[in-house]
Amino acid sequence: MREFLLFARKAWTKPFNINELPKAGRMDVVARCITNAFFISYSIRKDTNFFVSLNGPPNPPLLLKFIGNELKGIYYDERSVGGKINEALKKFYGSKKLRENDFKISEGFYISEDSFEKFLKFKSFNKKIVYLHEKGIDIRNFDFAGNEIFVLGDHKGLPKKAEKFLDKIKARKVSVGPRSYLASHCIVIVQNELDRRGL
């Protein structure tokens, strides 16, 4: 299963106006990354999981979890995906359930209070952590095992604290090309590379 984790620095952790995604801590970038991770022509990828660490105001962190082989009711447009995220935030804060585990929003879509670090520590037991970074090994020269989780920042990149944590857990840096690409484009490039390799 292919997995991605997006660190969204300013993405709001409260309900927002779905007609103004950029004003909600660049939730438009988050939505774009999600659609580019899952959608292919006339279909949706079932071999992909996508996670988003929301770190904006007022109550960070929150973790969104999109599980490809369960996912239903998601459509290829930013406003639709933004609406799903907004629904998650409303339900999450409107519930009195304990939040020690994942809180199910809909089929294949969950939310939790896990931090970026806590989640990656858990994943590191059975996943190879790959940090998508301009100064990393060229993706075409990297030996993928098929059990990677790809970590990337939003339009502002990862904060230094998060980068130090990735160094601590020995994440490998991989570059998707010679130029600086949009986060959503990096995801497509990785998916294409893995498709070509049959992983």
Side-chain angles (χ1 to χ4, degrees):
M1 183 68 75
R2 303 171 185 184
E3 297 194 320
F4 296 84
L5 171 60
L6 173 70
F7 188 100
R9 284 194 186 215
K10 302 292 184 181
W12 285 9
T13 48
K14 66 177 181 180
F16 51 87
N17 183 346
I18 63 171
N19 294 314
E20 296 182 339
L21 297 182
K23 293 182 179 180
R26 294 308 306 267
M27 198 65 74
D28 58 319
V29 174
V30 173
R32 205 172 299 134
C33 286
I34 293 166
T35 56
N36 283 5
F38 285 109
F39 285 91
I40 50 180
S41 184
Y42 300 106
S43 186
I44 187 170
R45 290 183 182 272
K46 298 296 183 181
D47 61 352
T48 297
N49 295 335
F50 196 87
F51 310 97
V52 185
S53 180
L54 303 177
N55 292 279
N59 299 303
L62 290 177
L63 188 74
L64 305 178
K65 303 182 179 185
F66 295 84
I67 309 302
N69 61 10
E70 301 175 14
L71 199 56
K72 293 180 181 176
I74 189 168
Y75 302 98
Y76 187 79
D77 68 273
E78 291 175 23
R79 190 174 182 278
S80 173
V81 174
K84 291 283 284 186
I85 296 171
N86 202 38
E87 174 191 355
L89 295 171
K90 287 178 180 178
K91 285 186 176 180
F92 187 68
Y93 287 115
S95 171
K96 294 181 181 179
K97 291 182 180 180
L98 293 176
R99 297 172 184 152
E100 295 173 358
N101 300 309
D102 293 347
F103 182 79
K104 184 175 181 179
I105 302 301
S106 59
E107 294 302 312
F109 182 28
Y110 306 83
I111 188 171
S112 77
E113 291 181 318
D114 287 346
S115 68
F116 175 81
E117 293 83 2
K118 180 181 177 182
F119 180 68
L120 276 183
K121 278 181 184 176
F122 170 74
K123 281 292 179 181
S124 66
F125 287 110
N126 59 12
K127 286 280 185 179
K128 185 183 290 185
I129 313 298
V130 173
Y131 175 24
L132 298 178
H133 191 279
E134 293 173 0
K135 295 182 180 178
I137 300 168
D138 191 303
I139 192 169
R140 294 183 178 179
N141 298 324
F142 190 77
D143 185 21
F144 291 106
N147 69 333
E148 291 80 13
I149 179 166
F150 299 91
V151 179
L152 69 161
D154 57 14
H155 62 297
K156 292 290 187 180
L158 289 182
K160 290 193 183 310
K161 181 182 176 182
E163 287 195 323
K164 287 180 180 178
F165 174 76
L166 289 175
D167 287 340
K168 184 178 178 181
I169 62 172
K170 297 178 170 49
R172 299 292 303 277
K173 288 183 180 178
V174 172
S175 169
V176 297
R179 304 188 69 174
S180 182
Y181 302 98
L182 297 174
S184 55
H185 292 179
C186 292
I187 294 162
V188 174
I189 292 169
V190 171
Q191 291 282 43
N192 178 260
E193 185 67 25
L194 296 179
D195 287 343
R196 287 175 175 275
R197 298 191 192 195
L199 294 174

